[in-house]
Amino acid sequence: MDVIELESFVNRPPHGFTAERRAGCTLVKWVQEKSCVFIDEIQFSKGKVIFCNSPGREITVRTLGECADLRRQLTSKTIYILVSACSNTKVEEKTNREVPALGYYVVAINGSHPMIRWEMERGLDLTISSVAGESYTVDVDVSAALQRGVGENFQILVDAEKVKPVWKDTHFTIKYRSDALFDFPYWFGFSKRQFKVCFNN
């Protein structure tokens, strides 16, 4: 796993990525044969960043073939998502309000790594049990792997003060939409599932 500050990612794109600046925004292009990019358009202090051909954080599949193809990609390519580093004060905990991000980071997860692939396949097998006749939503959460990757002592410098961030938006979502006429679990909100990717060496 790699964790790269968004500004650094845009200024010095990693192998397989290019960044092109155009009239107040940056277009990021990437080699789709090697990567899965699940990042929405983002506006931050340095301008707008658009990841071309990215489906965003939510990926919708409608057929068994699309589902199988997505599974193959998740277990053979590097997955990129954007996470937010936020502050977490006692006032914010009490009010439970949204707080602005201290920074944005791109998380890269090697889906072909044997342990990551095993966790991904196991999670998909456990959460997608009746894909043929049931719609579902699955959140793939990488917060545990991210926390292990950056370590407990990771801090961000904000106004000359070191702040330990709370990570948010640490997932991407797979949505399967079945054509079944009586899809009661989906109608009543019982089709939401989640699994975690925890491994980080």
Side-chain angles (χ1 to χ4, degrees):
M1 173 182 285
D2 285 330
V3 182
I4 310 166
E5 191 172 11
L6 178 59
E7 184 177 355
S8 297
F9 190 99
V10 171
N11 290 336
R12 297 181 296 278
H15 180 70
F17 287 80
T18 60
E20 179 183 343
R21 286 175 172 79
R22 290 186 186 176
C25 75
T26 302
L27 300 179
V28 179
K29 299 180 181 179
W30 42 286
V31 179
Q32 298 185 44
E33 289 73 21
K34 296 183 178 180
S35 306
C36 291
V37 178
F38 303 136
I39 300 177
D40 293 297
E41 178 182 307
I42 177 72
Q43 178 78 43
F44 78 126
S45 59
K46 302 300 181 180
K48 182 186 295 183
V49 180
I50 300 173
F51 285 80
C52 299
N53 299 314
S54 168
R57 191 179 299 277
E58 295 185 352
I59 309 99
T60 299
V61 291
R62 299 185 181 279
T63 67
L64 291 176
E66 290 179 357
C67 189
D69 184 61
L70 178 60
R71 180 189 182 104
R72 178 189 59 78
Q73 293 185 56
L74 293 177
T75 55
S76 64
K77 299 181 180 182
T78 301
I79 303 163
Y80 293 84
I81 67 171
L82 188 72
V83 301
S84 307
C86 301
S87 62
N88 188 29
T89 66
K90 292 182 179 179
V91 173
E92 289 154 359
E93 287 180 351
K94 289 180 179 179
T95 58
N96 196 30
R97 69 185 182 189
E98 287 293 324
V99 294
L102 301 175
Y104 296 98
Y105 292 79
V106 177
V107 177
I109 306 161
N110 181 7
S112 65
H113 185 284
M115 284 302 298
I116 297 293
R117 185 172 64 243
W118 177 81
E119 287 191 328
M120 195 71 70
E121 290 178 339
R122 181 173 177 271
L124 292 171
D125 287 341
L126 290 174
T127 54
I128 305 174
S129 56
S130 55
V131 65
E134 178 188 345
S135 297
Y136 62 84
T137 299
V138 177
D139 286 338
V140 183
D141 188 350
V142 303
S143 57
L146 172 60
Q147 190 61 55
R148 291 182 182 181
V150 300
E152 291 296 327
N153 297 322
F154 180 82
Q155 294 178 318
I156 297 175
L157 195 63
V158 180
D159 297 329
E161 185 176 340
K162 291 182 178 180
V163 177
K164 182 177 180 180
V166 173
W167 298 105
K168 295 187 178 181
D169 306 317
T170 57
H171 68 279
F172 62 93
T173 302
I174 303 169
K175 291 186 174 182
Y176 180 85
R177 292 295 171 260
S178 169
D179 292 329
L181 183 59
F182 299 106
D183 197 353
F184 295 114
Y186 177 72
W187 292 353
F188 292 107
F190 299 135
S191 59
K192 295 181 180 179
R193 303 156 192 175
Q194 182 190 71
F195 70 87
K196 293 180 180 290
V197 175
C198 301
F199 178 77
N200 192 309
N201 62 349

